[in-house]
C-alpha cells in the first residue's frame, strides 16, 4: 500500500468516526463536555473488538489491517457498500462484495416432521440462526414466534433482546454464550452475508454482553446439549436439545427439545402439550366476528 493511500485511509477513517456519536452506536455518553467530535479511537476499537493501539496505528497509516478487521471496522463505522469498497481500495485489499441471499423457505420434509410432532417442541433454524418454522409446542415453550416480524425472527436476537426469553432460561448466560459462538461459526461460513453483518451490528450496539462475547471469538456448531428452563405453565424443566440436519439443504436444521421418561420435566412437557391442545380446541370453537 502506497504511503499516500495509507494517509488517505487514515483521513477517511477519522472523518467517518467523526460522523458518529456514542449514542448512535449504543455507548453511554460520558459526563462532561467531550473534547472531540464524534467517536474516539478507543471507542471504535472497543466496538470492533481490537486494541486501541491497533486501531490507532491503522488510522495513522503505520500498519495494514486484515480484510477481516476492515470488514468489522466498516460495520462499526456504518459504511455503505460504496464506502466499504473505497476503504478496501485505499487499504490495497480485495473487497468481496457482500451477497444478498434469497430468503430461505422451509423444506417440505421438515415441515411434515414439525406437523407430526405434537408433544415435542421443535423448530427449524436456517442461516444465521433465523427461525424458519416451528410447531405449537415450540411456540408454547419458547414464545410466540408469529408476533415477531419475519426479518427479526432470529433465535440469538430473541435470547438477547426478548425479556421473556431471558427470564425463561435458568442458565441464560450459558445459553447466550453458546448462541454467540454458534453465530460466530455462521459468520465464518459466510463472512459477506449482509443480514448477518446487520444482526451482529445491532446486537453489538444494544448489548454489552454480546459485544464482549463476540469479541472473544469463541465458535461452536449446533449439535446437542441440555437447557434448564423455568416455564410459567410447565414449571421447572431440564430438556435435552438435539439437531437434525436436512440433507436437501444443510443450512436448515430441526431442533427438538425432549426429556427422559418418568421425570418431572417429561411430566411438564405433557402438561404443556395438554395446554396447547386445549388452547387450539378453544380457538377452533370460539365464534368469529359477526
Amino acid at each position: 500500500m502506497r504511503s499516500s493511500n495509507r494517509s488517505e485511509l487514515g483521513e477517511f477513517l477519522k472523518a467517518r468516526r467523526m460522523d458518529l456519536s456514542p449514542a448512535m452506536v449504543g455507548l453511554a455518553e460520558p459526563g462532561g463536555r467531550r473534547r472531540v467530535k464524534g467517536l474516539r479511537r478507543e471507542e471504535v476499537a472497543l466496538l470492533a473488538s481490537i486494541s486501541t493501539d491497533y486501531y490507532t496505528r491503522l488510522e495513522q497509516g503505520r500498519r495494514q489491517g486484515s480484510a477481516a478487521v476492515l470488514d468489522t471496522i466498516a460495520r462499526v463505522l456504518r459504511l455503505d457498500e460504496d464506502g466499504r469498497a473505497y476503504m478496501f481500495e485505499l487499504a490495497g485489499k480485495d473487497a468481496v462484495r457482500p451477497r444478498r441471499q434469497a430468503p430461505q423457505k422451509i423444506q417440505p420434509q421438515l415441515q411434515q416432521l414439525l406437523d407430526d410432532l405434537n408433544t415435542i417442541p421443535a423448530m427449524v433454524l436456517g442461516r444465521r440462526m433465523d427461525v424458519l418454522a416451528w410447531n405449537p409446542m415450540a411456540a408454547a415453550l419458547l414464545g410466540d414466534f408469529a408476533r415477531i416480524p419475519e426479518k427479526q425472527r432470529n433465535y440469538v436476537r430473541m435470547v438477547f433482546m426478548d425479556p421473556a426469553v431471558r427470564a425463561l432460561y435458568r442458565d441464560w448466560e450459558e445459553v447466550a454464550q453458546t448462541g454467540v459462538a454458534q453465530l460466530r461459526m455462521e459468520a465464518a461460513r459466510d463472512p459477506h452475508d449482509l443480514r448477518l453483518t446487520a444482526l451482529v451490528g445491532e446486537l453489538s450496539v444494544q448489548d454489552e454482553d454480546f459485544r464482549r462475547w463476540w469479541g472473544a471469538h469463541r465458535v461452536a456448531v449446533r449439535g446437542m446439549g441440555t437447557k434448564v428452563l423455568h416455564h410459567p405453565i410447565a414449571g421447572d424443566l431440564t430438556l435435552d436439545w438435539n439437531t437434525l440436519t436436512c440433507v436437501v439443504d444443510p443450512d436448515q436444521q430441526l431442533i427438538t427439545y425432549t426429556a427422559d421418561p418418568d421425570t418431572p420435566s417429561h411430566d411438564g412437557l405433557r402438561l404443556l402439550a395438554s395446554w396447547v391442545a386445549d388452547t387450539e380446541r378453544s380457538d377452533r370453537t370460539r365464534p368469529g366476528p359477526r
Side-chain angles (χ1 to χ4, degrees), residues 141-142 147 155-176 180 203 206-211 213 228-230:
L141 179 69
L142 301 175
R147 67 177 171 79
Y155 176 73
V156 177
R157 189 180 189 279
M158 290 177 62
V159 168
F160 280 92
M161 303 293 287
D162 191 328
V165 175
R166 277 183 177 257
L168 178 66
Y169 287 114
R170 284 288 180 89
D171 52 350
W172 178 86
E173 186 167 317
E174 180 180 346
V175 170
V180 173
L203 294 179
Q206 296 293 333
D207 194 279
E208 182 180 351
D209 286 330
F210 180 91
R211 187 163 61 244
W213 294 332
V228 181
L229 303 88
H230 179 71

Side-chain angles (χ1 to χ4, degrees), residues 276-288:
V276 168
D278 289 344
T279 301
E280 291 180 337
R281 187 162 44 249
S282 175
D283 289 342
R284 287 195 298 268
T285 58
R286 183 181 297 118

Side-chain angles (χ1 to χ4, degrees), residues 100-130:
R100 296 186 182 275
Q101 296 175 317
Q104 276 182 297
K105 300 297 182 183
I106 184 173
Q107 289 293 321
Q109 299 90 337
L110 291 182
Q111 186 64 64
Q112 291 173 7
L113 272 175
L114 282 178
D115 293 341
D116 288 340
L117 292 174
N118 298 318
T119 61
I120 296 176
M123 62 181 176
V124 174
L125 297 184
R127 293 188 297 264
R128 73 193 73 88
M129 300 181 73
D130 288 343

Side-chain angles (χ1 to χ4, degrees), residues 36-105:
V36 296
K37 177 186 176 183
L39 295 179
R40 297 187 176 98
R41 286 172 176 164
E42 56 266 30
E43 291 169 333
V44 175
L46 171 67
L47 293 170
S49 301
I50 57 178
S51 71
T52 301
D53 179 68
Y54 185 112
Y55 179 77
T56 299
R57 290 163 65 88
L58 182 65
E59 194 172 285
Q60 291 177 343
R62 294 189 291 129
R63 74 163 301 156
Q64 293 189 36
S66 67
V69 168
L70 293 174
D71 250 336
T72 303
I73 291 174
R75 169 178 55 77
V76 170
L77 297 180
R78 301 191 175 186
L79 301 183
D80 59 20
E81 291 187 29
D82 291 339
R84 179 181 176 277
Y86 179 65
M87 181 182 68
F88 270 78
E89 179 70 24
L90 292 176
K93 302 289 184 182
D94 292 329
V96 178
R97 192 174 183 85
R99 296 188 295 112
R100 296 186 182 275
Q101 296 175 317
Q104 276 182 297
K105 300 297 182 183

Side-chain angles (χ1 to χ4, degrees), residues 101-107 110 123-133 153-156 182-183 185-186 189 193 195-196 199 222 243-244 246 249-255:
Q101 296 175 317
Q104 276 182 297
K105 300 297 182 183
I106 184 173
Q107 289 293 321
L110 291 182
M123 62 181 176
V124 174
L125 297 184
R127 293 188 297 264
R128 73 193 73 88
M129 300 181 73
D130 288 343
V131 181
L132 301 182
R153 203 176 290 153
N154 178 274
Y155 176 73
V156 177
Q182 292 170 345
L183 199 64
M185 185 63 75
E186 294 286 332
R189 293 192 182 103
D193 184 334
R195 285 187 60 185
L196 178 57
L199 174 65
R222 293 199 291 272
T243 304
L244 301 174
C246 179
D249 182 359
D251 285 337
Q252 295 190 29
Q253 296 179 317
L254 177 74
I255 313 296

Side-chain angles (χ1 to χ4, degrees), residues 255-281:
I255 313 296
T256 60
Y257 296 86
T258 59
D260 290 335
D262 302 320
T263 63
S265 295
H266 188 262
D267 293 340
L269 285 183
R270 290 170 64 90
L271 173 64
L272 191 62
S274 176
W275 179 86
V276 168
D278 289 344
T279 301
E280 291 180 337
R281 187 162 44 249

